[in-house]
Amino acid sequence: MSGRMGGGGGGGGNRRRSGGPPRGGGRRDPGDRRDRDRDGQEQKQQQKKHRDEDEMMEDLAALQQQDEMSDDDNAAPDMASEPEERENPLVLALEDLQGRVATALNDIKIHPGVRSSSAPGAPTVHEELATLMRPVLEVAAHTGPSIARTYYNPAGGDIAIENSCDDVYDQVVSDLVLPLVLEMAQSETIPSKRTAALEFFHNLWKECHKAGSWLDNTTTGPNAG
């Protein structure tokens, strides 16, 4: 009897143990749902991240396209104006004057600063340097104002010639001739060349007072100079 009771007890214990797993499995269900929910949220976040990246790339592409169109629009007037500037006779004349000045000053720079020939009647070193400096003096005092009065823009009205003279003087004399010759007078180590540079300023002042030059108030019109 005790054996049956013991067996019954054992059977009852077995039934309880066999019934445990379903109840235990049921308790694990909320955790599984939380895992699935978390996985779903992560997937949605990844999808949203990809959408945001795609939208950002589209915005960047649109901005780049707008910038390219803007650059093309800005470049078109510049490209159209370049041939006009090259064909402008005043611009061409200024380039020629600047080239003459650069060539003459380069010839003076490479001059040894001593007399080329010791033969009787040969030019002195100062005469040689003055000859080399003469094209610079001609451009600064005579050719420059003549070009300004010849190629002025008539659309400028009564002050058209004056404005043209100011522009040419600034570009040829103020911004080119005077600084370069002044640098030569200050930094040249050969006395004869330094003297030639200093003498240039005295000669320029005299030449500018002659007819057709910058300080000649009696000459006007396209044929002046």
Side-chain angles (χ1 to χ4, degrees):
M1 183 175 178
S2 61
R4 289 196 296 271
M5 291 178 63
N14 291 336
R15 284 195 297 270
R16 286 195 297 269
R17 286 197 297 272
S18 63
R23 289 195 297 270
R27 286 195 297 270
R28 287 196 296 269
D29 287 344
D32 294 340
R33 286 195 296 270
R34 286 194 296 271
D35 292 340
R36 288 194 298 270
D37 292 341
R38 184 169 60 252
D39 293 341
Q41 292 176 357
E42 292 178 353
Q43 185 177 3
K44 290 180 180 179
Q45 292 176 354
Q46 290 293 333
Q47 292 175 351
K48 184 177 182 300
K49 180 180 179 181
H50 291 321
R51 286 196 302 270
D52 293 341
E53 291 177 350
D54 292 340
E55 291 177 358
M56 183 174 64
M57 294 299 295
E58 292 176 358
D59 293 340
L60 289 174
L63 290 174
Q64 291 177 353
Q65 185 176 4
Q66 292 178 359
D67 292 340
E68 292 174 357
M69 294 175 63
S70 176
D71 292 340
D72 293 340
D73 294 340
N74 293 333
D78 295 339
M79 294 175 64
S81 63
E82 287 179 359
E84 295 179 1
E85 292 181 357
R86 286 196 295 266
E87 295 173 0
N88 188 333
L90 180 58
V91 173
L92 296 176
L94 283 173
E95 292 177 353
D96 178 65
L97 296 182
Q98 292 167 347
R100 293 189 209 176
V101 171
T103 300
L105 292 178
N106 187 62
D107 291 341
I108 297 174
K109 182 177 181 181
I110 63 178
H111 192 280
V114 295
R115 190 179 183 187
S116 301
S117 175
S118 59
T124 65
V125 63
H126 298 291
E127 291 173 340
E128 290 181 10
L129 292 173
T131 300
L132 294 176
M133 190 69 80
R134 185 67 195 179
V136 182
L137 187 62
E138 287 289 337
V139 167
H142 299 292
T143 314
S146 177
I147 291 298
R149 294 180 178 124
T150 300
Y151 297 114
Y152 71 96
N153 185 3
D158 295 337
I159 61 173
I161 296 179
E162 181 179 351
N163 289 337
S164 180
C165 288
D166 289 341
D167 291 340
V168 174
Y169 184 88
D170 289 342
Q171 295 188 47
V172 175
V173 182
S174 294
D175 297 340
L176 182 64
V177 173
L178 295 182
L180 292 178
V181 178
L182 180 61
E183 181 183 3
M184 183 186 301
Q186 292 176 334
S187 61
E188 180 58 59
T189 58
I190 300 177
S192 59
K193 295 166 71 172
R194 186 167 61 250
T195 301
L198 293 171
E199 186 69 16
F200 172 84
F201 294 102
H202 176 69
N203 293 332
L204 179 62
W205 185 84
K206 291 193 302 182
E207 294 292 329
C208 284
H209 286 80
K210 293 184 178 180
S213 191
W214 301 112
L215 301 180
D216 177 23
N217 295 325
T218 63
T219 307
T220 58
N223 296 323

